[in-house]
Amino acid sequence: MKILLVEDNESVAKALKYSLEQENFIVLLSENLNIAKQTLNTEKVDLIILDISLPDGNGMEFYCNKLKKLEIPTIFLTAKDDEENIVNGLENGAEDYITKPFKTKELIARINKIFLRKNKNTIVKIKDIEFDLDKMVVTKSGNIIEFTGLEIKILNLLFNNLNKVVSRESIIDKIWEWTGNDVNDNTVTVYLKRIRHKLETDIIITVKGIGYRIDSGE
């Protein structure tokens, strides 16, 4: 997937470009709206991350005047957290917004969700397993598999990162975020063992010393 990042802060742009490329996205950088326009004339992009405050214009106006017509999913980056600015962007058709400073992992999660919606992959099928990402329901050959709330969240994390390794550290961080409980490496092992047992299908790949991955099979 190709992403156009329009951001005039060089350090922010380079750091974000590096993080996105680590997730296997192709990233095109534009430091202002003029370069962004030239890029869009020569490149086909799947998503735009657009700063609102740019040296040669307003990102919101640029979106309304040009990007909206192109129907390219757009996430606004803004240092302004006022409600009116946020509502204006969403009402004009933006997919999402994120306020600076932000966590890169959060932005990547939002990007992945946009691509899932865009591709209408709200129901993901891997072998004989189907995961309805909207309803958070997993079925095997049409039969619902019962998971605990935490198990389904871990499985959802893996499905939302198809073809990408989710590190054990990331899963530990998420479990702490979801439960407020301190967990260790052994806890992750136990939960993945339970999930695999219930799936009865070997779709979760262990990447030794790093984490876990589910491949789309495409």
Side-chain angles (χ1 to χ4, degrees), residues 50-113:
L50 177 63
D51 192 5
I52 288 181
S53 299
L54 291 160
D56 59 345
N58 182 282
M60 184 77 70
E61 293 178 0
F62 177 62
Y63 173 81
C64 293
N65 294 333
K66 183 175 180 65
L67 299 184
K68 192 174 180 179
K69 300 174 185 177
L70 299 178
E71 297 184 346
I72 302 173
T74 301
I75 298 176
F76 285 122
L77 296 182
T78 175
K80 304 172 184 177
D81 57 0
D82 61 284
E83 184 177 357
E84 182 179 352
N85 188 58
I86 291 168
V87 171
N88 187 29
L90 296 177
E91 286 184 343
N92 275 294
E95 288 284 343
D96 208 342
Y97 75 94
I98 193 162
T99 304
K100 297 178 182 178
F102 56 86
K103 294 182 179 179
T104 304
K105 287 183 179 179
E106 180 184 356
L107 177 59
I108 290 171
R110 295 187 185 198
I111 290 170
N112 286 331
K113 287 181 180 179

Side-chain angles (χ1 to χ4, degrees), residues 29 75 93 98 125 127-128 135 172-173 189 198 214:
L29 283 181
I75 298 176
I98 193 162
K125 184 174 182 179
K127 294 186 178 179
D128 58 348
K135 297 180 180 178
I172 289 171
D173 289 344
T189 300
K198 292 181 178 181
I214 294 178

Side-chain angles (χ1 to χ4, degrees), residues 191-209:
Y191 274 113
L192 265 296
K193 184 177 181 180
R194 290 177 183 171
I195 292 169
R196 281 171 162 155
H197 177 72
K198 292 181 178 181
L199 288 173
E200 295 183 327
T201 302
D202 191 18
I203 62 172
I204 301 175
I205 300 167
T206 298
V207 182
K208 192 174 181 179

Side-chain angles (χ1 to χ4, degrees), residues 61-171:
E61 293 178 0
F62 177 62
Y63 173 81
C64 293
N65 294 333
K66 183 175 180 65
L67 299 184
K68 192 174 180 179
K69 300 174 185 177
L70 299 178
E71 297 184 346
I72 302 173
T74 301
I75 298 176
F76 285 122
L77 296 182
T78 175
K80 304 172 184 177
D81 57 0
D82 61 284
E83 184 177 357
E84 182 179 352
N85 188 58
I86 291 168
V87 171
N88 187 29
L90 296 177
E91 286 184 343
N92 275 294
E95 288 284 343
D96 208 342
Y97 75 94
I98 193 162
T99 304
K100 297 178 182 178
F102 56 86
K103 294 182 179 179
T104 304
K105 287 183 179 179
E106 180 184 356
L107 177 59
I108 290 171
R110 295 187 185 198
I111 290 170
N112 286 331
K113 287 181 180 179
I114 288 172
F115 283 138
L116 283 171
R117 289 200 304 268
K118 182 181 177 184
N119 295 326
K120 298 181 180 179
N121 287 336
T122 54
I123 298 180
V124 183
K125 184 174 182 179
I126 310 293
K127 294 186 178 179
D128 58 348
I129 301 295
E130 287 192 1
F131 193 164
D132 189 321
L133 298 171
D134 287 337
K135 297 180 180 178
M136 295 286 277
V137 173
V138 181
T139 59
K140 178 183 175 69
S141 301
N143 299 311
I144 295 177
I145 304 174
E146 297 293 340
F147 289 99
T148 66
L150 193 52
E151 289 168 352
I152 198 72
K153 286 180 179 179
I154 293 172
L155 196 53
N156 182 60
L157 179 63
L158 294 174
F159 267 89
N160 270 296
N161 290 277
L162 286 180
N163 305 309
K164 299 173 186 177
V165 177
V166 178
S167 70
R168 294 174 70 88
E169 291 77 11
S170 295
I171 297 173

